[in-house]
Amino acid sequence: MYSFLSQHSLPTFDERLPVITSMLPPPLLSCFRGLALALLTLLIVQQPDALAAPTPAEYGVVLNLSGRQRMLSQKMSKEVLLIALNVDVEGNLNNLAQTVALFERTQKGLHHGDTTLGLPPTTNERIRKQLEKIEGLWQQFRPLVDGVLTERKVAAETIKALAAQNPVLLKETNKAVLLYEKDAAQAGL
C-alpha cells in the first residue's frame, strides 16, 4: 500500500475543493459561504484580541521595550541636567538626540507596531488608552528637550518643567509596563 502512495500522489485539499464545491447546488454553496463569513465575523467581533495576540517571543520584546521606555524618560532628564552643568555638552547633546529618537520610535512601535523592532501593534484597548495617555505627556515633554537640542543650553524654566513632568511620564510608562505584564499573564505566559 505504501509503495502505491509513493508512486501516485493524492490530490491536495486545494485540488479537491473545486470538485467538492461543484457537487453542491448553488443555493447550498451560497449558504455555506454565508455561514462561514458569519462565523468569522462573530469571532472577530467577540474576540478581536484573540486573533492578534502576540506570540511569546513578541511578548518578550514588548515587555523589554516598554520597560526600556521608563529608563529612557529618566535618561533624557539626566542628559538635560548634565548639559545644564556643562558636563560634556556635545556628547550629551548627541546622546539626548539619540535618546529622544529612540523613545519616540519605541512609543510609536508599541502603539502601532514596528517590524524592525519586533513589535506587534497593541490591540488591547486598555493598553492602547494608556499608550495614548503617554503620547499626550510626551507631546508636553518633547518640546522641552527639543528646546535644549536647538538652543544647545538649558534654561532654569526648562529644569523646573522637566522636574514636574518627568515623574508623571515615568509613572505612566510604568503603568503601561504593568498592563503589558498583566496581558501576558492572562495569555498564559
Side-chain angles (χ1 to χ4, degrees), residues 16-81:
R16 291 185 309 230
L17 188 58
V19 175
I20 294 168
T21 57
S22 68
M23 294 186 310
L24 295 172
L28 188 58
L29 181 59
S30 178
C31 180
F32 280 128
R33 285 184 184 147
L35 182 61
L37 182 60
L39 287 173
L40 183 60
T41 303
L42 183 63
L43 178 63
I44 290 170
V45 170
Q46 295 296 320
Q47 298 290 334
D49 292 348
L51 294 178
T55 65
E58 289 172 329
Y59 267 119
V61 173
V62 166
L63 291 170
N64 182 28
L65 296 187
S66 65
R68 183 177 71 181
Q69 290 295 84
R70 295 178 296 199
M71 179 274 298
L72 292 175
S73 72
Q74 301 304 290
K75 187 173 186 285
M76 284 183 275
S77 294
K78 177 196 85 167
E79 290 161 350
V80 168
L81 292 173

Side-chain angles (χ1 to χ4, degrees), residues 33-151:
R33 285 184 184 147
L35 182 61
L37 182 60
L39 287 173
L40 183 60
T41 303
L42 183 63
L43 178 63
I44 290 170
V45 170
Q46 295 296 320
Q47 298 290 334
D49 292 348
L51 294 178
T55 65
E58 289 172 329
Y59 267 119
V61 173
V62 166
L63 291 170
N64 182 28
L65 296 187
S66 65
R68 183 177 71 181
Q69 290 295 84
R70 295 178 296 199
M71 179 274 298
L72 292 175
S73 72
Q74 301 304 290
K75 187 173 186 285
M76 284 183 275
S77 294
K78 177 196 85 167
E79 290 161 350
V80 168
L81 292 173
L82 288 171
I83 294 165
L85 294 170
N86 286 319
V87 175
D88 187 18
V89 173
E90 286 304 311
N92 281 302
L93 284 167
N94 289 332
N95 291 342
L96 180 60
Q98 291 174 4
T99 306
V100 167
L102 184 57
F103 182 93
E104 186 156 303
R105 179 174 181 197
T106 305
Q107 184 64 31
K108 288 179 181 176
L110 286 166
H111 201 193
H112 305 291
D114 185 318
T115 54
T116 57
L117 290 176
L119 290 169
T122 297
T123 56
N124 179 298
E125 192 58 33
R126 190 166 177 211
I127 299 173
R128 290 179 64 80
K129 286 181 182 176
Q130 183 63 27
L131 293 174
E132 289 165 8
K133 187 173 189 178
I134 294 167
E135 182 61 30
L137 294 169
W138 175 240
Q139 293 308 315
Q140 296 170 21
F141 194 89
R142 171 101 197 233
L144 298 172
V145 293
D146 282 346
V148 172
L149 291 169
T150 302
E151 297 296 322

